[in-house]
């Protein structure tokens, strides 16, 4: 009696198929007629040989049927194992969702803080520009040397521009339009509505 195949894993089925292939190759390599001829020429128990050969044929038939059954069950076992992995990965995906939503909220909060800071920075730039224009006119009218002034600029903020253009814009854009190409296109999953 053998164990039900519906409980075998893909690895177990594959191993059994390899074992059967080995046994079938050994069986197919036998020359039954040559074995019988040798016993007839050299003398021996022909009935015992024929019984052994019939037993080998019976075993070969069982191996063929077993191989066929295993080959039929292999796609079912693959599907069964895939469903387990899919469920595990889906559960993992579901577990990530709350933290991803919090992360998206933090990005939005950081964006709002950045925009507030940029508005503040622009206010200082505008004020410094107006003051500089007033002083420039006064210096020009009175023939006084212009002190070091001008509209505020920042090397550090300017250095962010290429990164904001290339990296930040790409990241923000991919937050909504990203699809996966896995043989077909799969739309993204919205974590925040």
């Amino acid at each position: 009696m053998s164990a039900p195949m519906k409980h075998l894993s893909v690895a177990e089925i594959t191993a059994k198929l390899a074992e059967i292939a080995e046994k079938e190759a050994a069986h197919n390599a036998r020359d039954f007629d040559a074995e019988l001829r040798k016993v007839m020429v050299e003398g021996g128990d022909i009935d015992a040989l024929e019984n052994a050969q019939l037993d080998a044929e019976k075993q070969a038939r069982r191996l063929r049927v077993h191989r066929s059954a295993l080959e039929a069950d292999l796609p079912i076992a693959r599907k069964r194992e895939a469903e387990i992995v899919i469920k595990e990965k889906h559960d993992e995906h579901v577990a990530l969702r709350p933290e991803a939503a919090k992360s998206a909220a933090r990005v939005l909060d950081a964006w709002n803080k950045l925009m507030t800071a940029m508005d503040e920075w622009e206010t200082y730039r505008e004020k410094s520009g107006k003051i500089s224009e007033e002083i420039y006119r006064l210096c020009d009218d009175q023939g006084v040397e212009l002190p070091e002034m001008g509209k505020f600029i920042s090397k550090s903020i300017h250095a962010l521009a290429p990164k904001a253009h290339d990296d930040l814009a790409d990241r923000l854009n991919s937050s909504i339009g990203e699809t996966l190409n896995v043989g077909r296109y799969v739309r993204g999953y919205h974590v925040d509505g």
Side-chain angles (χ1 to χ4, degrees), residues 145-185:
E145 188 175 322
L146 180 66
E148 190 174 330
M149 298 182 69
K151 192 173 194 177
F152 292 149
I153 57 175
S154 167
K155 289 180 183 178
S156 352
I157 292 175
H158 180 73
L160 296 174
K163 187 163 184 63
H165 177 70
D166 294 335
D167 187 44
L168 186 58
D170 289 346
R171 287 182 183 202
L172 292 173
N173 285 329
S174 72
S175 290
I176 191 65
E178 186 133 353
T179 57
L180 297 175
N181 183 358
V182 290
R184 63 178 191 249
Y185 288 101

Side-chain angles (χ1 to χ4, degrees), residues 62-82:
R62 282 186 185 173
L63 288 173
R64 278 193 307 277
V65 171
H66 194 195
R67 177 178 39 81
S68 176
L70 287 169
E71 288 171 345
D73 194 50
L74 187 57
I76 296 165
R78 284 186 177 131
K79 182 179 179 185
R80 185 174 55 243
E81 288 182 15

